[in-house]
Coordinates of all heavy atoms in Angstrom, one line a residue:
A177 N 14.3 -13.2 -8.1 CA 14.8 -14.6 -7.9 C 16.1 -14.8 -8.6 O 17.0 -15.4 -8.2 CB 13.8 -15.6 -8.3
A178 N 16.2 -14.2 -9.9 CA 17.4 -14.3 -10.6 C 18.5 -13.5 -10.0 O 19.7 -14.0 -10.0 CB 17.2 -13.8 -12.1
M179 N 18.2 -12.4 -9.4 CA 19.2 -11.6 -8.7 C 19.7 -12.3 -7.4 O 20.9 -12.1 -7.0 CB 18.7 -10.2 -8.4 CG 18.4 -9.3 -9.6 SD 18.0 -7.6 -9.0 CE 17.8 -6.8 -10.6
Q180 N 18.8 -13.0 -6.8 CA 19.2 -13.6 -5.5 C 20.3 -14.6 -5.6 O 20.9 -14.9 -4.6 CB 17.9 -14.3 -4.9 CG 17.0 -13.3 -4.3 CD 15.7 -13.9 -3.7 OE1 14.6 -13.5 -4.1 NE2 15.8 -14.9 -2.9
V181 N 20.6 -15.2 -6.7 CA 21.7 -16.1 -6.9 C 23.0 -15.5 -7.3 O 23.9 -16.1 -7.6 CB 21.3 -17.3 -7.8 CG1 20.1 -18.1 -7.3 CG2 21.0 -16.7 -9.2
T182 N 22.9 -14.1 -7.4 CA 24.2 -13.4 -7.8 C 24.9 -13.0 -6.5 O 24.4 -13.1 -5.4 CB 23.9 -12.1 -8.6 OG1 23.1 -11.2 -7.8 CG2 23.1 -12.5 -9.8
D183 N 26.2 -12.7 -6.7 CA 27.1 -12.4 -5.5 C 26.7 -11.1 -4.8 O 26.2 -10.1 -5.5 CB 28.5 -12.3 -6.0 CG 29.5 -12.2 -4.9 OD1 29.3 -12.8 -3.8 OD2 30.5 -11.4 -5.0
R184 N 26.8 -11.1 -3.5 CA 26.6 -9.9 -2.7 C 25.2 -9.2 -2.9 O 25.0 -8.0 -3.0 CB 27.7 -8.8 -3.0 CG 29.1 -9.3 -2.6 CD 30.1 -8.2 -2.8 NE 29.9 -7.1 -2.0 CZ 30.2 -7.0 -0.7 NH1 30.7 -8.0 -0.1 NH2 29.9 -5.9 0.0
F185 N 24.2 -10.1 -2.9 CA 22.8 -9.7 -3.0 C 22.1 -10.0 -1.7 O 22.1 -11.1 -1.3 CB 22.1 -10.4 -4.2 CG 20.7 -9.9 -4.4 CD1 20.4 -8.7 -5.2 CD2 19.6 -10.5 -3.7 CE1 19.1 -8.3 -5.4 CE2 18.3 -10.0 -3.9 CZ 18.1 -8.9 -4.7
S186 N 21.6 -9.0 -1.0 CA 21.0 -9.1 0.2 C 19.4 -9.2 0.1 O 18.9 -8.4 -0.6 CB 21.3 -8.0 1.2 OG 22.7 -7.9 1.4
F187 N 18.8 -10.2 0.8 CA 17.4 -10.3 0.7 C 16.9 -10.9 2.0 O 17.5 -11.7 2.7 CB 17.0 -11.3 -0.4 CG 15.6 -11.7 -0.4 CD1 14.6 -10.8 -0.8 CD2 15.1 -12.9 0.0 CE1 13.3 -11.1 -0.8 CE2 13.8 -13.3 0.0 CZ 12.8 -12.4 -0.4
S188 N 15.7 -10.3 2.5 CA 15.1 -10.8 3.7 C 13.6 -10.8 3.5 O 13.0 -10.0 2.8 CB 15.4 -9.9 4.9 OG 14.9 -8.6 4.7
Q189 N 12.9 -11.8 4.1 CA 11.5 -11.8 4.2 C 11.1 -12.1 5.6 O 11.5 -13.1 6.2 CB 10.9 -12.7 3.1 CG 11.2 -14.2 3.3 CD 10.6 -15.0 2.2 OE1 10.3 -14.6 1.1 NE2 10.3 -16.3 2.5
D190 N 10.2 -11.3 6.1 CA 9.7 -11.5 7.5 C 8.2 -11.6 7.6 O 7.6 -10.5 7.3 CB 10.2 -10.3 8.4 CG 11.8 -10.3 8.5 OD1 12.3 -11.3 9.0 OD2 12.4 -9.3 8.0
Y191 N 7.7 -12.7 7.9 CA 6.3 -12.9 8.1 C 5.9 -12.5 9.5 O 6.5 -12.9 10.4 CB 5.9 -14.3 7.8 CG 5.9 -14.7 6.3 CD1 7.1 -15.3 5.8 CD2 4.9 -14.6 5.5 CE1 7.2 -15.6 4.5 CE2 4.9 -14.9 4.1 CZ 6.1 -15.4 3.6 OH 6.2 -15.8 2.3
I192 N 4.7 -11.8 9.6 CA 4.2 -11.6 11.0 C 3.3 -12.7 11.3 O 3.0 -13.6 10.5 CB 3.5 -10.2 11.0 CG1 2.2 -10.2 10.2 CG2 4.4 -9.1 10.6 CD1 1.4 -8.9 10.4
D193 N 3.0 -12.8 12.6 CA 2.2 -13.9 13.1 C 0.7 -13.8 12.7 O 0.0 -14.8 13.0 CB 2.2 -13.9 14.7 CG 3.6 -14.2 15.2 OD1 4.4 -14.9 14.4 OD2 4.0 -13.8 16.3
H194 N 0.3 -12.7 12.1 CA -1.1 -12.6 11.6 C -1.1 -12.8 10.1 O -0.2 -12.6 9.4 CB -1.6 -11.2 12.0 CG -1.8 -10.9 13.4 ND1 -0.7 -10.9 14.3 CD2 -2.9 -10.6 14.1 CE1 -1.2 -10.6 15.5 NE2 -2.5 -10.5 15.4
A195 N -2.3 -13.2 9.7 CA -2.7 -13.3 8.3 C -4.0 -12.5 8.1 O -4.5 -11.9 9.0 CB -2.7 -14.7 7.8
Y196 N -4.5 -12.6 6.9 CA -5.8 -11.9 6.7 C -6.7 -12.8 5.8 O -6.3 -13.6 5.1 CB -5.6 -10.5 6.0 CG -5.2 -10.5 4.6 CD1 -6.1 -10.5 3.5 CD2 -3.8 -10.6 4.2 CE1 -5.7 -10.5 2.2 CE2 -3.4 -10.5 2.9 CZ -4.4 -10.5 1.9 OH -4.0 -10.5 0.6
K197 N -8.0 -12.5 6.0 CA -9.1 -13.1 5.2 C -10.1 -12.0 4.8 O -10.4 -11.2 5.6 CB -9.8 -14.2 6.0 CG -10.8 -15.0 5.2 CD -11.6 -16.0 6.1 CE -10.7 -17.2 6.5 NZ -10.6 -18.2 5.4
E198 N -10.5 -12.0 3.5 CA -11.4 -11.0 3.1 C -12.8 -11.5 3.1 O -13.1 -12.6 2.7 CB -11.0 -10.5 1.7 CG -9.7 -9.7 1.8 CD -9.6 -8.7 0.6 OE1 -10.3 -8.8 -0.3 OE2 -8.7 -7.8 0.7
L199 N -13.8 -10.6 3.5 CA -15.2 -10.9 3.7 C -15.9 -9.8 3.1 O -15.3 -8.8 2.5 CB -15.5 -11.1 5.2 CG -14.7 -12.1 5.9 CD1 -14.8 -12.0 7.4 CD2 -15.0 -13.6 5.5
T200 N -17.3 -9.8 3.2 CA -18.1 -8.7 2.5 C -19.3 -8.3 3.4 O -19.9 -9.1 4.0 CB -18.7 -9.3 1.2 OG1 -17.6 -9.8 0.4 CG2 -19.3 -8.2 0.4
I201 N -19.5 -7.0 3.4 CA -20.8 -6.5 3.9 C -21.6 -6.1 2.6 O -21.1 -5.1 1.9 CB -20.6 -5.3 4.8 CG1 -20.0 -5.7 6.1 CG2 -22.0 -4.6 5.1 CD1 -19.7 -4.6 7.1
P202 N -22.7 -6.7 2.3 CA -23.4 -6.4 1.1 C -24.1 -5.1 1.2 O -24.3 -4.5 2.3 CB -24.4 -7.6 0.9 CG -24.6 -8.0 2.3 CD -23.3 -7.8 3.0
A203 N -24.6 -4.6 0.1 CA -25.4 -3.4 0.1 C -26.8 -3.6 0.8 O -27.3 -4.7 0.8 CB -25.7 -2.9 -1.4
G204 N -27.3 -2.5 1.3 CA -28.6 -2.6 2.0 C -29.8 -2.4 1.1 O -29.6 -2.5 -0.2
P205 N -31.0 -2.2 1.6 CA -32.1 -2.0 0.7 C -31.9 -0.9 -0.3 O -31.3 0.2 0.1 CB -33.2 -1.7 1.7 CG -32.8 -2.3 3.0 CD -31.3 -2.2 3.0
N206 N -32.3 -1.0 -1.5 CA -32.2 0.0 -2.5 C -30.8 0.4 -2.7 O -30.5 1.6 -3.0 CB -33.1 1.2 -2.2 CG -34.5 0.9 -2.0 OD1 -35.1 0.1 -2.9 ND2 -35.2 1.4 -1.0
Q207 N -29.9 -0.6 -2.7 CA -28.4 -0.3 -2.9 C -27.9 0.8 -2.0 O -27.1 1.6 -2.4 CB -28.1 0.0 -4.4 CG -28.3 -1.2 -5.3 CD -27.4 -2.3 -5.0 OE1 -27.8 -3.4 -4.5 NE2 -26.1 -2.1 -5.2
S208 N -28.3 0.7 -0.7 CA -27.8 1.7 0.2 C -26.6 1.2 1.0 O -26.4 0.0 1.1 CB -28.9 2.0 1.2 OG -29.3 0.9 1.9
F209 N -25.8 2.1 1.5 CA -24.6 1.7 2.4 C -25.1 1.4 3.8 O -25.9 2.2 4.4 CB -23.6 2.9 2.4 CG -22.8 3.1 1.2 CD1 -23.3 3.9 0.1 CD2 -21.6 2.4 1.0 CE1 -22.5 4.1 -1.0 CE2 -20.8 2.6 -0.2 CZ -21.3 3.4 -1.2
Q210 N -24.7 0.3 4.3 CA -25.2 -0.1 5.6 C -24.3 0.5 6.7 O -24.7 0.4 7.9 CB -25.1 -1.7 5.7 CG -26.1 -2.4 4.8 CD -26.5 -3.8 5.2 OE1 -27.1 -3.9 6.2 NE2 -26.0 -4.7 4.5
L211 N -23.2 1.1 6.4 CA -22.3 1.8 7.3 C -22.0 3.1 6.7 O -22.3 3.4 5.5 CB -21.0 1.0 7.6 CG -21.1 -0.4 8.2 CD1 -19.7 -1.0 8.1 CD2 -21.5 -0.3 9.6

Side-chain angles (χ1 to χ4, degrees):
M179 290 190 181
Q180 284 175 233
V181 297
T182 63
D183 188 37
R184 298 182 62 78
F185 184 86
S186 298
F187 172 73
S188 67
Q189 60 180 30
D190 296 297
Y191 288 90
I192 65 172
D193 294 334
H194 290 65
Y196 72 92
K197 185 184 288 280
E198 290 205 347
L199 307 164
T200 309
I201 292 176
N206 302 314
Q207 290 301 108
S208 60
F209 287 89
Q210 297 201 69
L211 297 170

